[in-house]
Amino acid sequence: MKVTFIYPAVGKKPGERYIKTWTMEPLPIATLKALTPKDWETEFFDDRLELINYDTDTDLVAINVEAYTAKRAYHIASRFCERGIPVILGGSHPTLLPEEAEQYADAVLVGNAEPVWTNILEDCWRNALKKRYQGSPIYTVLPDRSIFKGKQYLPLGLVETGRGCSFHCEFCAVSAYYDAHYVPRPIPDVVEDIKRSGKQFFFLVDDNIAADLTYLKQLCKELEPLNIFWASQATLTIAKDEKLLQSLVNSGCRVLLIGFESLEQKNLQQMQKEWMAKVGDRDELVQRIHKAGVSIYATFVFGFDHDTPSSFEEALAFSQRHGFFFAAFNHLLPFPGTALYTRFQQKKRLLVNTWWLEPGYHYGDVVFHPQNMGPQELSERCAATRRAFFSLSSILQRGGQLLRRHPPLRLFAAYWLQNLKLRREVDGKLGLPIGEGLDELPK
Ligand code: SF4
């Protein structure tokens, strides 16, 4: 028996290559590979890097689906269904919208695969796949990265440390997926996974690595002897504890992605992230993180009801004043299954209900009516803010600020390389047709 894993791509402009910074190792596929018994043959097509062989000889096709890749995933699924090959869809999108996913496949996996994957394979072998399987966030295996052999991913090791987040931010699909729960991964598994990967630079995949501070302190202790560099995602609350900041640095933490979302308190209240304003003085907390030796990848979201044109300028000025390593300036996107999506739907503010399936939907399109500006204006202001942040003068100025914080040489080199790459991609991503252009080269 043979199972074919497929990781669909977001979309591609005709004749252009896929967005390079979107080609990290797809960890869920390595986990599925590890869960698959040895008597099953496996193969893997990464739609972001290569063409899919729709004629491959296989017994089951398993596709990982996110909102941005749903349209493409359903297209791929239908190609295999036409041949009578059973297809199962899993990942965040089918978990949040199983009824929709069921229309495009023989089976749907809701939640994480660990407890049910071998049952699914057995049912497939008996030709008795069920319509729906219910997984849960438990850790049972170390990912088997041999499935990535021969594929060119970014040279960054991805290692999971936890799933979910205990906060309830209104727009957050992670909170909806894990029902505002956090599940940390056993630390010995994290350490073993890092050792096996053979890499030196890591992104510790965690929706909020500061969700359980006792766990994080212990993790830092165990990572210290490994002599690695790592980045992850955290909330600003991490800056409250100076000893913890020092432990982070000692363990190799050099960059943290922090979701500031908005500098306007009324917006934070509306998105149920008002606790951000109560953590302390934002500028002081940022300085503390920088002083400890950790750089910040700041993310902002625009389109909340109290955003005005000056909100963009303020976020840009804040980001440049602090010399952030990277920053993202995105418009609000109502992901299905979130409280935000429900609110917009009830208030009839959605321009399209299922934007992820909409023909002609492009990356960067706004799909709801913002309160204080038009959808097009919101999209354009986000793009203009990105262009300003990644302008050469801004990169130079932020590079100077980073230098004054005495970064390790490798981090300083990574700053220039990645900022110049992201600068090129600002306009490359805009207008990218979702789910299109992927059955052709170049990739
Ligand atoms: S803190 Fe971050 S991960 Fe947690 S619910 Fe809010 S946006 Fe999502």
Side-chain angles (χ1 to χ4, degrees), residues 314-329:
E314 284 159 21
L316 178 64
F318 175 71
S319 303
Q320 291 183 319
R321 186 167 73 246
H322 285 293
F324 288 141
F325 199 84
F326 302 138
F329 305 92

Side-chain angles (χ1 to χ4, degrees), residues 165 167-169 171-172 174-175 207 235 261 273 275:
C165 175
F167 289 114
H168 296 82
C169 303
F171 61 88
C172 183
V174 169
S175 179
D207 301 304
T235 48
E261 325 305 3
K273 208 168 178 172
W275 48 267

